[in-house]
Amino acid sequence: MDRDEPRRIRRAVWLTRAGMWWEVLAAAFWPLGVLLALVLAALAFGVTDLLSSRVLFWSMAAVVLAVLSALAWGLRRFRRPSAEAARSRVDLTLPGRPLSALRDQVAVGAGDGGAAALWRAHLARMQAVASAARPVAPDARLRWRDPVALRLVGMVALVMALIFAPTGQLGQGIAALGATFRPMPEVRPGGEAGSSWEGWAEPPAYTRRPTLYLNALPEGQGLELPKGSKLSFRLYGEGAGIVQDIGAALPGGEPSAPEFMAERDGVVEVAGRRFDVTVLPDAAPVVAPGKAPERRADGRLVQEFTASDDNGIAGGQAVITLDLDAVDRRFGLAPDPEPRETVALDLPLPATGSRKQVRGRLVGDLARHPWANLPVTISLQVEDGIEQQGVSAPMRMVLPGRRFFDPLAAALIEVRRDLLWSRENAARSAQVLRAASWQPDGFIEEELYHGLRGAVGTLEAGNLSEEARNKLAQLLWDAAVALEDGGLADALERMQQAQERLSEAIRNGASPDEIQRLMDELKQATDDYLDMLAQQQGEDPAQRFDRSAQNRQQITGDQIQQMMDEIQRLMNEGRMAEAQELLEQFNRMMQNLRVTQSEGGEGGRQRPMNRLAETLRDQQKLADEAMRQMQDQYGQWQQGQEGQGSQDNQQLADRQRELREDLGRQRGLLPGRGTPQGEEARRQLDEAGRAMEDAEQSLREGDAAGAMERQAQAIQAMREGMRALGDMMAQDRQQGQDGEPQQGGQQDGPEGPSGDPRGQRGLAQPYDRRPQTDPLGRALSGDGGSITSGDPLAEGGDPSRKARELQDEIRRRTGERERPRDERDYLGRLLENF
């Protein structure tokens, strides 16, 4: 390499040559690497323990032969890359091959001053081009050298061995191979063997200790072996024998190959060699529970534990039994319980690594078990490799289970518990169900009512079998869950129940996890109630709400959210009393809540229009990204590169699915059900949803052109749907002006501290009355879909169509690559607002 060259060029050539070294090594020796990876993986997973000595010998001989063949094959194909080859590869990537030009000499006109000046200019130009030299990425072309991807098989096998193979197994396998290939001892002419025996000490597999070759141990060294270790010997020649007192010989052994177990301390003598054996006893494992489990919101049992053993824990269980003495034997628990097996849950143990010291967490869902919410005792049991057990002291607790706050759901769960406790409770359970379903009008749905009456008939029929009891218990559970999780027809009831649950949890000192879950439920129920109330009365939940018909004090939807955030903050800080007080104020406020119409009277209808416009903008952005992605893939294909196209397509497909699901939710909230315009809008959104689904499928299949076509169809359908909504709102507004003027709501916000729904907390904010504008900054009318008078662009029969035409023209110009970059960037920023 020329030391006079710039450092940048020398670095590029050096890195390129390093890559060429990788190319030639990978191309020549990849079969050898695959073979070695498979052999190491097999040894790590204990293949030597599965084969006999003879089969193992011939198998490894074949492997050695294959390794030598692969090595010879690679050596024949190996060619050492030179520095000049690396320099030439870098030179080929530069225009005009400047590196070669810099080494050229003038052949004609060496003494001519003009020719010399021209030559110097040429060299200066080549020097400038050469300064852009970059290392060339290596490519061993293993894709066509290894078309069936054997190299990947070897890599996966090696990685699996590193992750999942037992610790120390690889060393044991290598030791077993060494013993297999060790030559037989020579026999002297006199008939006596120079080394007339071989011996091995193999500890139990669960100890994960390596096998010891006794001949390699120094003279006089004692042996410390775990209890249960197997000692095996091979005797050669006449007169060789073994004397030992550490354990009984194993059955099936031959005189020339005796085997026995190390069960106690003692001495082993073989052919004049003495070994003092110390047997290490295997201590029993120890297990202890962690802190007592807390009641979780999801009703699952979570119990921490620690366990230890000198050689490692082999397995463990948590055994749960009913604490009958602690059960309150009243009502449905008065009869003797039917016999039921104890519950055994496997303790989670690490799949790899050492198990001598284990710290874990047992998680079990026993919410449906008949003992849920009843006193039980839990004891943890672990065992080691020789089935020695360690048991923790029994721990008394109430088995965690799901809590039901709905009165009817709680009653059904109690009936279910009584039936699972004993079938003697059938008559009593039938009476409870009759009482619960008495006069169902107004609080029990017809389907649930008929189900309860059917359950009553089954219970009163007598001779309730165990199978019928279990099916009935499942039906009662499903009905209770449906009632608890959202079977209520009235959103207001759900919100009030969520408030009551949260209040009760705060008063009872529930766990933070359960309080957080109930707070999330209250937020969701409040949002659902406001959405339903707004949809019913044609208002936007973000607008102002009247909470007092007398003093006309009003709050906004944002202030409701701020109030709930304040409750959340107080609970996070542990100020439960203040949070409870503020929650009661929130309850009273929401009970008196009613929606008032704003001046335009179109807030509830404008909100779906705004959400659709936002979804349309997101769809347009996604279509633009799909276009750019297709262009990038095309460029990579031309350059012969493999990029991130597939992964990017999957990400675009996931985003397309999210947009489609969001559009489906919006369709269910559209106003104007039953009107021609409303049904037309729903039909257009259905078409948009189908086009989005087809676009998602095309993206996942890598068909970018097909995806863009479907996306364009979705955009057009959404525009037509928004147009139908705009026509409906314009018609409603015209009817209001002709016959029924709409009343405006209060214009003033909360007045001082007295008007603040939260007392002195000062979260009330004035209502934002800034005029709405379209993406081009023009003022919009109350319906949000048409441009106000005075704007030249608003003239004509359909102003919204003009806006769409303008948007299409901007999009067309953005796609023209011959336009200046600044202009296209400006047009792109305009499109971001649509």
Side-chain angles (χ1 to χ4, degrees):
M1 185 177 298
D2 190 352
R3 296 294 180 180
D4 296 334
E5 289 182 338
R7 183 177 181 182
R8 184 185 190 90
I9 297 177
R10 286 188 282 112
R11 179 176 178 273
V13 173
W14 184 87
L15 291 177
T16 302
R17 188 182 184 190
M20 294 175 66
W21 270 99
W22 179 86
E23 287 180 0
V24 296
L25 289 175
F29 298 106
W30 71 265
L32 177 63
V34 171
L35 186 59
L36 293 178
L38 292 176
V39 171
L40 291 177
L43 293 177
F45 281 111
V47 70
T48 56
D49 298 335
L50 304 177
L51 304 177
S52 64
S53 300
R54 181 178 298 274
V55 174
L56 182 62
F57 176 83
W58 289 110
S59 299
M60 294 311 300
V63 169
V64 171
L65 181 61
V67 168
L68 294 177
S69 300
L71 179 61
W73 185 86
L75 291 175
R76 285 198 304 269
R77 285 161 177 77
F78 177 77
R79 298 295 182 272
R80 179 176 177 272
S82 64
E84 287 301 323
R87 181 185 181 89
S88 178
R89 178 176 293 191
V90 175
D91 200 14
L92 288 174
T93 63
L94 300 174
R97 304 194 64 176
L99 300 185
S100 299
L102 291 176
R103 291 187 172 185
D104 292 342
Q105 300 293 330
V106 177
V108 179
D112 186 359
L118 181 60
W119 180 251
R120 287 194 297 272
H122 170 68
L123 293 180
R125 181 175 175 273
M126 291 295 101
Q127 186 71 35
V129 175
S131 63
R134 297 290 187 277
V136 180
D139 183 8
R141 300 183 181 180
L142 295 180
R143 293 184 299 278
W144 63 267
R145 297 179 188 273
D146 180 22
V148 296
L150 291 178
R151 64 192 187 282
L152 300 182
V153 174
M155 292 176 60
V156 171
L158 189 59
V159 171
M160 295 290 287
L162 293 175
I163 297 177
F164 298 107
T167 304
Q169 185 65 47
L170 181 60
Q172 295 182 19
I174 295 176
L177 289 181
T180 301
F181 286 95
R182 189 170 288 107
M184 298 279 292
E186 296 182 358
V187 180
R188 292 194 295 266
E192 297 181 357
S195 176
S196 58
W197 63 277
E198 283 186 303
W200 299 267
E202 181 182 357
Y206 74 90
T207 63
R208 302 185 178 184
R209 296 191 180 188
T211 300
L212 300 178
Y213 183 58
L214 301 182
N215 298 68
L217 298 179
E219 290 284 347
Q221 179 178 340
L223 278 178
E224 291 187 352
L225 300 176
K227 186 177 182 180
S229 298
K230 182 176 73 172
L231 281 80
S232 57
F233 292 86
R234 292 181 182 177
L235 305 178
Y236 311 110
E238 298 292 338
I242 295 178
V243 178
Q244 57 87 20
D245 58 356
I246 64 173
L250 296 177
E254 300 179 358
S256 60
E259 296 180 345
F260 48 88
M261 303 295 292
E263 299 175 351
R264 54 187 175 272
D265 296 346
V267 177
V268 176
E269 293 186 0
V270 51
R273 179 80 179 270
R274 175 189 175 96
F275 295 94
D276 294 325
V277 179
T278 301
V279 174
L280 303 176
D282 193 337
V286 178
V287 61
K291 62 180 182 179
E294 300 178 355
R295 176 180 290 275
R296 291 174 58 95
D298 52 10
R300 291 186 297 173
L301 169 66
V302 179
Q303 177 62 60
E304 298 179 352
F305 68 93
T306 57
S308 61
D309 184 69
D310 50 359
N311 288 310
I313 303 295
Q317 289 183 330
V319 180
I320 304 175
T321 57
L322 180 66
D323 189 0
L324 193 58
D325 296 336
V327 175
D328 186 3
R329 303 292 298 276
R330 294 186 299 169
F331 310 115
L333 302 180
D336 291 335
E338 296 181 3
R340 192 172 295 276
E341 296 181 356
T342 59
V343 179
L345 302 177
D346 292 333
L347 297 179
L349 298 174
T352 60
S354 175
R355 292 186 178 180
K356 294 183 178 181
Q357 297 288 338
V358 176
R359 179 182 299 273
R361 173 182 294 181
L362 171 66
V363 179
D365 187 359
L366 299 175
R368 299 192 183 192
H369 196 273
W371 296 342
N373 297 311
L374 291 178
V376 296
T377 59
I378 298 181
S379 61
L380 305 180
Q381 302 177 0
V382 294
E383 63 179 23
D384 58 10
I386 56 175
E387 299 182 353
Q388 295 184 112
Q389 289 192 346
V391 182
S392 67
M395 180 174 53
R396 297 177 180 268
M397 63 175 295
V398 174
L399 186 64
R402 178 168 179 172
R403 298 175 63 182
F404 290 83
F405 297 92
D406 181 85
L408 181 56
L412 296 181
I413 290 299
E414 184 173 351
V415 170
R416 174 183 180 273
R417 183 203 63 185
D418 295 345
L419 289 175
L420 293 174
W421 180 268
S422 174
R423 279 172 283 177
E424 296 180 10
N425 289 319
R428 180 182 180 277
S429 298
Q431 294 177 356
V432 173
L433 292 180
R434 280 188 176 276
S437 59
W438 176 254
Q439 295 182 349
D441 296 340
F443 75 98
I444 296 183
E445 296 181 357
E446 183 177 359
E447 183 179 357
L448 176 59
Y449 171 74
H450 290 302
L452 294 180
R453 304 305 294 179
V456 170
T458 302
L459 294 173
E460 292 181 345
N463 298 325
L464 185 66
S465 65
E466 182 178 358
E467 182 180 1
R469 186 268 309 274
N470 294 338
K471 290 183 178 179
L472 183 57
Q474 182 63 40
L475 292 176
L476 292 174
W477 174 270
D478 294 339
V481 171
L483 286 171
E484 185 72 16
D485 289 348
L488 298 176
D490 193 346
L492 177 60
E493 251 183 292
R494 290 199 299 270
M495 184 185 67
Q496 291 175 345
Q497 287 199 0
Q499 295 167 1
E500 294 172 1
R501 294 172 190 171
L502 182 57
S503 298
E504 180 181 353
I506 294 177
R507 289 194 300 269
N508 295 340
S511 65
D513 181 71
E514 185 169 359
I515 290 179
Q516 182 61 50
R517 181 182 71 88
L518 295 175
M519 186 64 192
D520 294 339
E521 289 182 359
L522 175 57
K523 291 180 179 180
Q524 183 62 44
T526 302
D527 292 341
D528 294 342
Y529 170 63
L530 295 180
D531 286 341
M532 184 174 295
L533 190 60
Q535 181 182 355
Q536 184 180 14
Q537 300 191 14
E539 287 296 330
D540 185 354
Q543 301 297 327
R544 296 179 298 170
F545 297 92
D546 187 355
R547 70 178 184 92
S548 175
Q550 296 178 355
N551 56 18
R552 309 299 294 174
Q553 295 175 354
Q554 296 176 334
I555 61 173
T556 66
D558 292 338
Q559 293 168 3
I560 293 177
Q561 182 62 42
Q562 289 177 346
M563 193 171 186
M564 298 184 71
D565 293 341
E566 180 68 10
I567 296 174
Q568 178 76 63
R569 185 183 67 82
L570 292 174
M571 291 190 301
N572 293 340
E573 295 177 357
R575 300 157 63 180
M576 293 302 178
E578 298 180 43
Q580 175 69 22
E581 178 184 355
L582 188 56
L583 181 60
E584 292 176 356
Q585 295 180 18
F586 178 78
N587 295 344
R588 291 192 298 268
M589 178 186 69
M590 297 302 291
Q591 288 172 1
N592 299 326
L593 186 66
R594 69 181 180 88
V595 178
T596 60
Q597 291 181 330
S598 61
E599 282 187 338
E602 297 291 339
R605 298 178 184 267
Q606 180 62 31
R607 187 186 186 196
M609 179 71 77
N610 292 339
R611 290 192 62 186
L612 282 176
E614 182 178 355
T615 304
L616 177 59
R617 288 194 296 269
D618 292 340
Q619 181 62 67
Q620 291 169 338
K621 291 180 181 178
L622 186 61
D624 293 340
E625 293 185 19
M627 167 65 79
R628 289 193 293 269
Q629 176 63 26
M630 184 180 68
Q631 294 173 346
D632 294 341
Q633 291 180 7
Y634 180 74
Q636 293 174 357
W637 175 78
Q638 283 186 324
Q639 298 174 7
Q641 300 176 359
E642 294 183 1
Q644 298 282 341
S646 177
Q647 180 178 358
D648 292 341
N649 284 338
Q650 295 301 319
Q651 294 176 355
L652 294 177
D654 292 339
R655 291 173 55 188
Q656 184 67 78
R657 185 191 68 248
E658 294 174 359
L659 284 178
R660 175 172 56 83
E661 293 173 352
D662 183 58
L663 183 65
R665 290 189 292 268
Q666 295 179 41
R667 183 191 179 283
L669 299 176
L670 288 182
R673 187 179 298 274
T675 64
Q677 297 89 344
E679 295 304 322
E680 173 64 17
R682 286 176 171 81
R683 188 184 68 82
Q684 293 292 344
L685 293 189
D686 285 341
E687 293 184 2
R690 287 191 291 270
M692 287 180 175
E693 185 176 4
D694 294 340
E696 176 190 349
Q697 184 66 25
S698 298
L699 286 171
R700 296 196 186 281
E701 295 174 355
D703 183 8
M708 293 180 59
E709 181 180 356
R710 302 299 185 274
Q711 289 171 339
Q713 295 174 0
I715 292 173
Q716 183 63 27
M718 292 174 64
R719 288 174 177 170
E720 295 298 330
M722 294 179 63
R723 179 181 180 184
L725 283 180
D727 294 342
M728 181 186 64
M729 289 189 293
Q731 181 178 353
D732 292 346
R733 184 171 60 257
Q734 183 65 31
Q735 291 177 355
Q737 293 174 356
D738 293 343
E740 296 180 359
Q742 300 176 0
Q743 297 177 356
Q746 291 290 338
Q747 302 299 323
D748 299 330
E751 298 177 2
S754 62
D756 188 348
R758 298 175 47 236
Q760 300 293 331
R761 300 188 185 277
L763 286 182
Q765 300 292 336
Y767 176 58
D768 187 2
R769 297 185 54 83
R770 291 176 295 179
Q772 293 181 325
T773 60
D774 72 346
L776 297 180
R778 301 168 296 181
L780 296 179
S781 63
D783 63 352
S786 61
I787 307 174
T788 58
S789 60
D791 193 330
L793 294 176
E795 299 176 359
D798 188 1
S800 59
R801 179 178 296 276
K802 292 183 178 296
R804 290 196 299 272
E805 292 176 354
L806 177 60
Q807 181 182 356
D808 293 340
E809 178 63 18
I810 295 175
R811 185 176 298 278
R812 184 187 66 80
R813 296 187 181 185
T814 304
E816 296 176 353
R817 296 300 177 182
E818 63 274 9
R819 292 183 176 273
R821 182 177 182 85
D822 294 341
E823 180 181 352
R824 287 188 283 114
D825 292 342
Y826 171 72
L827 295 175
R829 290 193 297 271
L830 286 180
L831 286 176
E832 291 178 357
N833 294 323
F834 280 94

